[in-house]
Amino acid sequence: EFLAELEALDNGKPVGNEGQYGSKVDVGLCIKHYRYYAGWADKLQGDVIPVEGNNLCFTRKEPVGICGCIIPWNFPLAMMAWKLAPAIAAGNVVVLKSSEKTPLSALAVCKLIKEAGFPPGVINVLNGYGPTCGEAIVLHPDVNKVAFTGSTAVGKRIQSLSSQHGLKRVSLELGGKSPLIVLDDADVDQAVEVAHIGLFLNQGQCCCAGSRLYVQEGIYDKFVAAAVAKAKAIKLGSYSEPGAEQGPQVDDIQFKRVMGYIDKGKEEGATVVTGGGRHGSKGYFVEPTVFTNVTDEMTIAKEEIFGPVMSIFKFSTDIEVVERANNTRYGLAAGICSKNAPRALGMANQLRAGTVWINTYDNFDPAAPFGGYGESGIGRDKGSAGLEAWTETKTITMPLDGPKC
């Protein structure tokens, strides 16, 4: 309860006391994540490899060493868990920097870590700004690995800086412009729910938000009407307000950024069906906004908005929509809504994205790897694949006496 309240106070998201998405959901996911990787701590093992000649050859999984982790402000507790849990399970030590916008929950977890009896120096949490504190971690000669979740622009800078003192291992989970494709055989009510979660979750401040919503022409009008009605029904309010589904954007910078993209969409000819302005006169609340008549060349179709702005596109054929969906420099996630499993699975295989959800969205089970193609990042978080970035593989070979069996 305390962590959920603190996270909501720090970030602005609702607590979610009535069962809707909120910081309580984030805390639950964190617990699952730590428990999942706790189970891996004594299961990291190498292989015995049959090689030519009378030789014993085997591999060991060893810790990388000192790991610098830099987490974002949109899901502070969850992103801390995504980094800490596999790093510690693999035997590393960590220096973690929280976002200057949301430092409180990381410090609270740090206190819990101390109470749990972790040895001093295993987990270290810093607060500060990226150009000073963050870059100091990346540039430090004793840091062996850097893990970052955040914008693509900062990820590129981290990758560049990480080679200035030695050659650090780098894993990056970056931005996205994820397509959600609604096929004409989809359950429209289910698809609207999927699209709603995929875009409006966490005030739209989600790296994998389904911000390019492609709907097949046969069901386009029906889908738009239902999606607009659902967006209009969203209750905005402060983090502790009963029933609140959407809080404010994290700060004035993000608020102005989102409003700027809404203005750009209007200027370039997209149609605002609902929303499109500020909600109220206090706080950084943005009206849930739905654009139609969006074309692939528009700014809102290409750039990451990171706010409650849904853009709905119309398409005709499966081949067409796959080409359009893949026409992006990002590749973090994608979604498909269809009642035809072979059709959906065939399309999923053609999409250039690290995660493809079918008839669901934002399912973050700790066992399922998550990461992107292209400018959406390098490496994977979560699952067994998420451990690879935190271990080194050592090969040991030794000749044996006597005949080979």
Side-chain angles (χ1 to χ4, degrees):
E1 292 286 340
F2 173 75
L3 284 176
E5 185 93 0
L6 187 64
E7 184 85 328
L9 176 66
D10 210 16
N11 174 274
K13 67 179 70 184
V15 175
N17 284 320
E18 289 77 31
Q20 73 273 36
Y21 168 76
S23 56
K24 277 192 171 181
V25 173
D26 291 355
V27 171
L29 289 173
C30 289
I31 292 169
K32 290 180 180 179
H33 207 78
Y34 285 118
R35 286 177 174 168
Y36 173 81
Y37 278 109
W40 271 105
D42 60 354
K43 299 175 183 66
L44 292 171
Q45 57 191 23
D47 299 302
V48 177
I49 304 166
V51 295
E52 186 175 353
N54 191 17
N55 295 294
L56 170 65
C57 181
F58 64 94
T59 59
R60 284 171 44 87
K61 292 293 185 181
E62 298 184 349
V64 172
I66 301 173
C67 300
C69 302
I70 303 172
I71 61 171
W73 49 260
N74 55 339
F75 296 97
L77 280 173
M79 295 301 99
M80 187 178 190
W82 283 26
K83 299 294 186 269
L84 279 189
I88 299 305
N92 299 285
V93 298
V94 172
V95 179
L96 182 141
K97 188 194 91 67
S98 59
S99 171
E100 64 276 11
K101 298 182 181 184
T102 53
L104 299 182
S105 56
L107 292 174
V109 171
C110 201
K111 182 180 178 182
L112 294 176
I113 289 168
K114 183 178 180 181
E115 291 179 5
F118 272 74
V122 174
I123 299 173
N124 310 273
V125 175
L126 303 176
N127 298 137
Y129 291 92
T132 51
C133 184
E135 288 197 9
I137 292 172
V138 176
L139 291 171
H140 199 286
D142 291 339
V143 172
N144 304 108
K145 172 192 163 51
V146 177
F148 170 75
T149 296
S151 72
T152 295
V154 175
K156 288 180 177 180
R157 178 161 177 77
I158 286 173
Q159 190 173 29
S160 174
L161 291 173
S162 65
S163 63
Q164 291 190 15
H165 294 283
L167 192 61
K168 293 176 172 60
R169 296 184 64 173
V170 177
S171 55
L172 305 170
E173 196 262 279
L174 307 176
K177 194 68 181 174
S178 301
L180 172 58
I181 300 167
V182 181
L183 299 173
D184 55 9
D185 59 8
D187 179 319
V188 173
D189 291 337
Q190 181 190 56
V192 168
E193 182 68 24
V194 168
H196 187 84
I197 293 170
L199 193 284
F200 292 111
L201 184 88
N202 202 40
Q203 295 75 248
Q205 297 169 152
C206 189
C207 54
C208 58
S211 54
R212 291 186 294 146
L213 179 52
Y214 293 97
V215 182
Q216 201 153 18
E217 56 189 3
I219 60 169
Y220 181 86
D221 292 339
K222 181 179 180 181
F223 180 94
V224 168
V228 169
K230 193 164 183 67
K232 286 182 176 179
I234 294 174
K235 181 178 179 179
L236 284 77
S238 67
Y239 75 94
S240 58
E241 187 173 333
E245 300 171 79
Q246 180 181 318
Q249 306 310 119
V250 71
D251 62 9
D252 185 56
I253 295 172
Q254 189 61 22
F255 171 79
K256 289 177 178 176
R257 173 186 171 89
V258 174
M259 294 306 300
Y261 276 115
I262 291 174
D263 291 342
K264 194 71 173 178
K266 295 174 182 177
E267 291 171 10
E268 294 183 354
T271 301
V272 177
V273 188
T274 187
R278 179 176 192 160
H279 174 79
S281 58
K282 294 181 180 180
Y284 306 124
F285 291 93
V286 176
E287 292 177 337
T289 300
V290 178
F291 278 107
T292 58
N293 298 320
V294 186
T295 64
D296 294 343
E297 296 74 28
M298 291 181 179
T299 302
I300 60 172
K302 295 187 293 185
E303 297 183 11
E304 189 175 27
I305 299 172
F306 231 61
V309 181
M310 177 180 281
S311 299
I312 307 179
F313 307 72
K314 185 186 293 186
F315 74 93
S316 298
T317 68
D318 292 15
I319 293 175
E320 171 205 340
V321 77
V322 168
E323 290 178 352
R324 292 171 67 185
N326 286 338
N327 185 24
T328 176
R329 59 195 177 102
Y330 298 110
L332 188 55
I336 301 167
C337 290
S338 172
K339 290 187 285 189
N340 185 328
R343 184 185 185 190
L345 289 170
M347 181 172 286
N349 290 339
Q350 298 175 64
L351 293 175
R352 296 279 300 166
T355 293
V356 180
W357 288 294
I358 298 176
N359 296 328
T360 186
Y361 212 90
D362 288 339
N363 185 322
F364 292 114
D365 191 281
F370 184 80
Y373 291 16
E375 293 195 14
S376 287
I378 300 170
R380 294 294 180 267
D381 288 315
K382 306 198 293 117
S384 59
L387 288 161
E388 295 173 6
W390 305 97
T391 59
E392 296 281 10
T393 299
K394 176 181 286 182
T395 302
I396 299 175
T397 303
M398 180 179 74
L400 299 174
D401 295 331
K404 182 176 181 181
C405 297

